[in-house]
Amino acid sequence: MKSATLFLLFALAVSSHSQTSANTAATSREVDAVYPAAHDFYIDLHQNPELSSHETQTASKLAARLRSLGYEVTEGVGGTGVVAILKNGPGPTVMLRTELDALPVEEKTGLPYASKVHTKDDSGREVPVMHACGHDLHMAALLGTAEIMAHSKDTWHGTLMLIGQPAEETISGAKRMIDDGLFTRFPKPVVGVAFHVGNELPAGQVGITPGIYNTNADSLRITIYGKGGHGSAPNTTIDPIVIAAKTILSLQTIVSREVKPGEMAVVTVGYVRAGTKNNIIPDQAELGLTVRTFKADVRKQVLAAITRIVKAEALAGGTPQEPLIEHYESTDSVYNDPGLAERLRVPLEAVLGKDNVIATEAITPSEDYAFFVEQGVPSLYMSLGGADPQKYAESKKSGNQLPSNHSPYFAPDVDPALHSGIKAEVAALRNLLNGASQ
Ligand SMILES: [Zn+2]
Ligand SMILES: [Zn+2]
């Protein structure tokens, strides 16, 4: 390598290093200034969680805070959804999303601000409520980010669109917001950003997965019909239990024999229900399945194979009627635009430090952010580290897993996680709202 080239590389490295330090320090000061209000908001939300589709207080608190910062706020979008717009001259529209809902989980963290809330769920059952998925932290970060963006309009231009989405846990809120005109009544974003906090990374870090971020999820309920009768006279019956048993075994061949080796696919029969007594052959059997895949074509292949096998086993067993296959719940995997992931890695490294932006693998839980991507909003959905760094290191050493999201013990290390969450959002939004190629 020529010495001139070496010098140039060195100069670039030095300038990008000092630029990084300057960015980190400046953004840290901005985050420190808004942090107390964001943290108070977090504690309030954590102590007052609300179930999916019932986030009325949560939504109105978020709306009021954003309105006081100068955002143009619309409530009641797709149920309890919130849309907050801040216009700042010509430029792209960029969306940042948080969820609003909590879960029917009894908090056992022992934290001084642990939730003690109980309520009635949609079926009228008394249930405990907890922000066991960390959506309270997402809302607090969005508020901190909203304040920084509102007070630094000289650092960006375009339209900032913040959304508070209800009912993520029932994978229904994103679609309801879209159906209620999210992208027609309001400016349609050219790009979207979101993250999810979890114990898979230590607080202070952010994970980026280019391409597929999580799984397609499909829930199926299958009813196999037989002909009931006396357990001592099987010749007078068509036994749906035997057909169900053969069906379950045949379903195992989909992943092992039909899906291309190396492709991700899971077919799980999570429950079997049939019969009441040992000497009665029942007249039907029910199976509950969950199906997980990464790719659309693999998903299609697996769902078609399930239908084919279920029908064929019923036919082979001579059932009086075709089995009923109900596809009662589904969501697509979230696709992270690879170009966007690469573009945003740079400003994220600048504010969090190079070692704190990690390339992460796709995960198996599902989420309904995919509906926004499918509307033509290329996005980056990041993982935000939430684990206490010391506990994280200990768990890596011992192999004992930290509580996952939805656990009654789920408790993110709030200070470092919320600080880095706000920093990451501000860095991403400023990059996207500087009006470059987007
Ligand atoms: Zn969740
Ligand atoms: Zn969640």
Side-chain angles (χ1 to χ4, degrees):
M1 199 182 284
K2 282 182 187 153
S3 61
T5 320
L6 268 176
F7 175 76
L8 183 65
L9 281 176
F10 178 72
L12 275 173
V14 169
S15 87
S16 89
H17 178 74
S18 52
Q19 180 86 30
T20 300
S21 315
N23 272 337
T24 312
T27 315
S28 289
R29 278 195 298 277
E30 290 180 286
V31 175
D32 288 344
V34 302
Y35 188 78
H39 184 259
D40 283 355
F41 192 47
Y42 174 78
I43 299 293
D44 179 21
L45 294 168
H46 193 84
Q47 289 178 316
N48 297 289
E50 294 176 296
L51 291 177
S52 305
S53 302
H54 299 278
E55 313 89 338
T56 48
Q57 294 305 316
T58 307
S60 69
K61 280 179 209 169
L62 181 65
R65 299 244 186 173
L66 294 172
R67 210 170 268 132
S68 75
L69 293 171
Y71 287 74
E72 205 178 296
V73 180
T74 309
E75 292 177 68
V77 181
T80 55
V82 176
V83 178
I85 304 276
L86 190 61
K87 290 191 177 138
N88 187 21
T93 298
V94 176
M95 179 177 91
L96 174 67
R97 177 266 211 164
T98 179
E99 318 88 323
L100 304 173
D101 53 341
L103 287 157
V105 171
E106 184 168 7
E107 179 154 2
K108 293 181 181 163
T109 59
L111 290 166
Y113 53 87
S115 164
K116 296 182 178 67
V117 173
H118 280 72
T119 190
K120 287 219 164 91
D121 71 6
D122 288 338
S123 67
R125 258 187 329 150
E126 172 92 5
V127 289
V129 193
M130 172 188 176
H131 266 297
C133 204
H135 299 173
D136 46 356
L137 197 134
H138 303 172
M139 285 183 264
L142 179 134
L143 180 70
T145 299
E147 186 169 351
I148 292 176
M149 296 302 283
H151 292 158
S152 61
K153 284 174 125 179
D154 55 331
T155 64
W156 61 278
H157 49 87
T159 299
L160 177 56
M161 177 183 197
L162 307 177
I163 67 165
Q165 182 209 305
E168 184 281 323
E169 297 290 357
T170 51
I171 49 175
S172 54
K175 184 167 186 311
R176 284 216 302 265
M177 287 189 86
I178 292 163
D179 291 346
D180 197 13
L182 179 61
F183 298 140
T184 50
R185 287 162 57 196
F186 306 96
K188 185 170 176 187
V190 293
V191 59
V193 177
F195 64 54
H196 208 297
V197 67
N199 279 335
E200 293 75 24
L201 290 175
Q205 293 192 345
V206 160
I208 297 181
T209 313
I212 293 163
Y213 171 72
N214 62 5
T215 54
N216 302 301
D218 295 278
S219 305
L220 303 177
R221 186 165 41 232
I222 295 166
T223 310
I224 296 164
Y225 300 101
K227 188 179 160 201
H230 203 291
S232 70
N235 55 304
T236 67
T237 73
I238 293 166
D239 188 343
I241 292 182
V242 174
I243 299 168
K246 288 166 74 179
T247 304
I248 293 166
L249 288 179
S250 295
L251 290 173
Q252 308 310 310
T253 63
I254 297 173
V255 175
S256 70
R257 302 290 83 188
E258 296 191 37
V259 173
K260 189 177 164 197
E263 295 290 2
M264 191 281 191
V266 175
V267 177
T268 292
V269 180
Y271 71 82
V272 187
R273 282 186 201 134
T276 53
K277 195 172 183 302
N278 65 321
N279 65 353
I280 301 171
I281 292 169
D283 61 2
Q284 64 179 60
E286 188 181 303
L287 310 178
L289 276 67
T290 187
V291 179
R292 303 295 168 111
T293 50
F294 282 145
K295 293 187 185 163
D297 56 340
V298 178
R299 179 191 209 178
K300 209 169 143 195
Q301 182 195 7
V302 170
L303 291 174
I306 290 171
T307 303
R308 189 192 77 237
I309 286 171
V310 168
K311 285 186 178 174
E313 288 293 354
L315 189 67
T319 61
Q321 78 184 83
E322 250 200 7
L324 176 66
I325 302 173
E326 293 166 281
H327 190 176
Y328 66 92
E329 220 173 54
S330 72
T331 185
D332 296 347
S333 64
V334 174
Y335 185 77
N336 277 333
D337 185 273
L340 190 61
E342 190 49 35
R343 172 177 169 170
L344 291 182
R345 194 174 51 78
V346 180
L348 291 171
E349 284 178 352
V351 292
L352 297 172
K354 211 172 169 64
D355 296 341
N356 288 325
V357 182
I358 311 291
T360 39
E361 286 186 354
I363 56 168
T364 51
S366 308
E367 110 105 88
D368 68 354
Y369 188 90
F371 285 94
F372 302 128
V373 180
E374 279 154 19
Q375 290 294 307
V377 181
S379 292
L380 182 65
Y381 194 109
M382 298 174 274
S383 300
L384 178 70
D388 175 324
Q390 201 183 330
K391 288 185 189 159
Y392 180 83
E394 281 162 16
S395 94
K396 283 283 154 202
K397 224 160 131 192
S398 67
N400 294 332
Q401 298 283 333
L402 292 170
S404 58
N405 298 67
H406 294 200
S407 158
Y409 299 98
F410 181 72
D413 190 0
V414 179
D415 281 3
L418 187 49
H419 267 99
S420 51
I422 299 171
K423 277 185 196 171
E425 286 179 347
V426 169
L429 292 176
R430 281 189 181 145
N431 178 282
L432 297 166
L433 287 162
N434 268 317
S437 56
Q438 295 295 322

